[in-house]
Amino acid sequence: MTQTITIDPVTRLEGHGKITIQLNGQGEVEDAHFHVTQVRGFEKFSEGRPFYEMPSLMARICGICPVSHLIASAKACEAIMSVRIPHTAAQLRRMLNLAQMVQSHALSFFYLASPDLLLGMESDPAARHIFGVVAAKPQLGRAGIALRRFGQHIIELLGNKRIHPGWVVPGGVTEPLAPAKRDQILAMIPEAYANIALALASYKQIADAFQPEIAVFANFPSNYLGLINDDESVEFTDGELRLINAQGNIIEDGITAARFSQVIGEAVEPYSYTKFAYYKPLGYPDGSYRVGPLARLNIARSMGTPLADKELIEFKQLANGPVQSSFHYHHARLIDILYGIEKIEQILTDPLILDKHVRATAGVNRLEGAGQAEAPRGTLMHNYKVDENGLITWANLVIATGQNNNAMNKGVLQAAKEYVKDGKFTAGALNRVEAVIRTFDPCLSCSTHAFGQMPLELTLLDSNGESIDRVVR
């Protein structure tokens, strides 16, 4: 008889999801899927709203990466306005985006992934969490907490709120940087350097022990997409997109936000509320690709900062060509953090960083606009259409998790075939299957934007949590 193994919920993720593993009559894994089970409607209920409200509305999609939505949304609005924001505003936005990247990566690596890495995949689940890490490795645990605080505090200083700041608006930002805040951020930099140095050193000491996981954690050839500067250094806020193949060759370069929807399509599968992005000329699923820290480092020729450049050289020695195993997302995430700290320090030395001119103004000059940026998890695109009064008539968001969706599903299947044999498995085996998803650090709240007919199950519970009605579409 066939059998289905269900992991519900997948733990230590941002949002709600489950994994199903389908076994045949001989107990062999035939298929596996990662299901994003929540559904949200931000694109639909933004219709009719004034376009200049969109950044603040879109930030509410996520409490972990609201800044990414703020920036991509504001850039889409600026395309509608046909304005170029002031230099200082662009630099301040870049710093805000990097601060969010640092805190989000710290959350992913230390809070969500490090319990597996430091305590072991087979360790007691009751202690396999951030508090267990702090107890076992107090110095490293404190470093992770401090790095997250570093990023969050910068967001708070710039945007006046740690979560959902309203500081980023169409045309720039609402207020300039004060000298006292600049000095406060600069004073935090040395500790941040010390903490990321400790994290990188600690990771490198343990990485070799995970060669079996590296071999099967979404380890296969794929395409990669990410923002890049003219000098081929990594970029988070501006720049244009580059798509490379599994050999590192450029498939397409110079993909602007305005061209994104021309070259990137979105497929829908019946088992998930997250779409599956793909490169249109190659079709689906052959045109699927990965985004995020691993993709960024595979695409970039340099990081553009001294310390991160040294780490990138070492990282690229992991493979002859693009690094394929998604286990290495963890390593790439730490290099991203180091780059973010260095770049923030560089931005603060810009002689114009305290300039008061931080916002451009205009009305509706185009009826459609798109904006793209790198979220911590990868490329994020917002695309809006408006009427002559500037009211939203249509919106579409392409989220990093949707762009990684095909790779996550292939990775779950690859790991399940390795760790489930003859219909038998251990708790540690299933934790490894979950850990494949954790390498991507998906944000499931951000990602649920599917189109088309999807299965839907509604369950009505009474005050005691008992099911009293169920409807299935």
Side-chain angles (χ1 to χ4, degrees):
M1 294 179 62
T2 60
Q3 179 185 359
T4 298
I5 302 170
T6 302
I7 305 173
D8 186 13
V10 181
T11 57
R12 282 182 275 139
L13 295 182
E14 295 155 27
H16 303 286
K18 69 178 181 180
I19 292 170
T20 58
I21 303 170
Q22 291 80 45
L23 309 181
N24 62 20
Q26 290 72 48
E28 299 168 335
V29 174
E30 282 198 336
D31 209 349
H33 295 102
F34 174 55
H35 309 258
V36 180
T37 56
Q38 61 195 76
V39 61
R40 308 178 80 195
F42 272 82
E43 290 148 321
K44 195 64 181 176
F45 63 63
S46 64
E47 292 177 6
R49 304 304 305 174
F51 78 91
Y52 52 79
E53 289 184 354
M54 289 301 285
S56 289
L57 287 175
M58 294 298 99
R60 268 65 186 177
I61 291 173
C62 182
I64 301 298
C65 49
V67 171
S68 300
H69 290 288
L70 277 170
I71 290 174
S73 180
K75 288 164 79 77
C77 293
E78 286 146 13
I80 291 170
M81 297 159 65
S82 301
V83 298
R84 182 177 179 179
I85 70 172
H87 166 82
T88 300
Q91 287 285 71
L92 290 172
R93 280 186 183 181
R94 181 172 285 109
M95 180 161 54
L96 186 77
N97 201 21
L98 292 170
Q100 180 209 240
M101 178 269 288
V102 170
Q103 70 87 11
S104 180
H105 278 356
L107 172 65
S108 172
F109 183 84
F110 292 96
Y111 290 67
L112 306 183
S114 75
D116 294 328
L117 303 176
L118 298 175
L119 306 179
M121 297 283 182
E122 301 276 354
S123 60
D124 181 2
R128 199 166 58 220
H129 45 61
I130 183 60
F131 300 108
V133 170
V134 172
K137 306 281 186 179
Q139 187 179 9
L140 195 60
R142 286 194 295 267
I145 293 169
L147 280 169
R148 184 149 197 252
R149 183 174 62 241
F150 169 80
Q152 286 182 308
H153 192 43
I154 293 175
I155 294 171
E156 186 176 27
L157 287 171
L158 295 176
N160 299 313
K161 289 174 66 178
R162 289 190 178 186
I163 301 174
H164 306 148
W167 183 62
V168 174
V169 292
V173 296
T174 58
E175 63 182 19
L177 177 65
K181 290 184 177 181
R182 177 199 58 188
D183 296 343
Q184 191 172 347
I185 297 170
L186 283 170
M188 297 158 54
I189 297 285
E191 181 187 6
Y193 276 135
N195 287 328
I196 190 56
L198 175 63
L200 276 162
S202 299
Y203 176 82
K204 291 174 188 177
Q205 288 174 357
I206 64 172
D208 281 346
F210 290 92
Q211 290 302 322
E213 287 80 8
I214 290 170
V216 295
F217 274 29
N219 188 2
F220 46 77
S222 75
N223 306 312
Y224 299 92
L225 180 78
L227 282 179
I228 198 166
N229 287 309
D230 291 339
D231 63 0
E232 298 186 298
S233 64
V234 72
E235 177 56 50
F236 277 81
T237 307
D238 295 312
E240 296 176 350
L241 290 167
R242 170 175 288 180
L243 180 71
I244 65 170
N245 63 18
Q247 291 73 46
N249 300 318
I250 298 171
I251 298 175
E252 184 156 347
D253 222 349
I255 303 172
T256 62
R259 292 185 55 237
F260 187 96
S261 60
Q262 298 172 17
V263 299
I264 302 297
E266 297 174 278
V268 173
E269 296 284 5
Y271 55 82
S272 180
Y273 286 107
T274 294
K275 294 179 284 189
F276 292 71
Y278 64 96
Y279 180 61
K280 286 182 179 179
L282 295 178
Y284 175 77
D286 292 343
S288 299
Y289 54 88
R290 279 182 265 189
V291 296
L294 183 69
R296 287 191 284 263
L297 269 59
N298 278 334
I299 292 167
R301 306 295 183 196
S302 71
M303 298 300 291
T305 57
L307 296 177
D309 274 339
K310 292 180 182 178
E311 293 293 337
L312 179 63
I313 292 170
E314 185 178 336
F315 181 84
K316 286 184 177 291
Q317 292 172 355
L318 292 170
N320 182 19
V323 178
Q324 305 286 7
S325 174
S326 285
F327 189 93
H328 294 301
Y329 267 99
H330 298 310
H331 190 175
R333 215 163 264 126
L334 295 177
I335 298 173
D336 264 357
I337 291 176
L338 176 58
Y339 163 79
I341 297 166
E342 286 188 283
K343 194 66 179 178
I344 288 169
E345 185 176 32
Q346 287 183 0
I347 291 170
L348 289 170
T349 63
D350 184 331
L352 296 176
I353 198 62
L354 300 178
D355 192 273
K356 305 287 188 201
H357 181 47
V358 292
R359 187 172 184 179
T361 58
V364 176
N365 289 302
R366 292 190 184 127
L367 297 183
E368 183 173 359
Q372 61 192 20
E374 285 290 315
R377 290 147 196 83
T379 305
L380 170 65
M381 196 280 296
H382 282 230
N383 191 4
Y384 309 144
K385 295 180 182 179
V386 298
D387 62 17
E388 292 80 0
N389 297 313
L391 302 181
I392 297 290
T393 60
W394 176 87
N396 187 41
L397 282 61
V398 184
I399 310 298
T401 298
Q403 294 169 85
N404 280 330
N405 207 1
N406 188 62
M408 288 191 291
N409 277 273
K410 288 178 68 175
V412 165
L413 177 59
Q414 185 182 37
K417 286 184 174 181
E418 176 68 20
Y419 296 114
V420 179
K421 303 289 187 181
D422 301 320
K424 298 177 182 178
F425 53 89
T426 65
L430 294 188
N431 183 47
R432 285 176 172 85
V433 176
E434 286 188 67
V436 172
I437 301 299
R438 287 193 282 269
T439 64
F440 291 90
D441 186 30
C443 185
L444 309 185
S445 299
C446 291
S447 70
T448 50
H449 305 276
F451 291 143
Q453 186 74 14
M454 299 288 292
L456 182 65
E457 177 181 319
L458 296 177
T459 303
L460 180 64
L461 306 179
D462 63 17
S463 58
N464 297 316
E466 300 292 331
S467 175
I468 58 176
D469 197 7
R470 180 171 172 267
V471 178
V472 177
R473 184 185 71 190

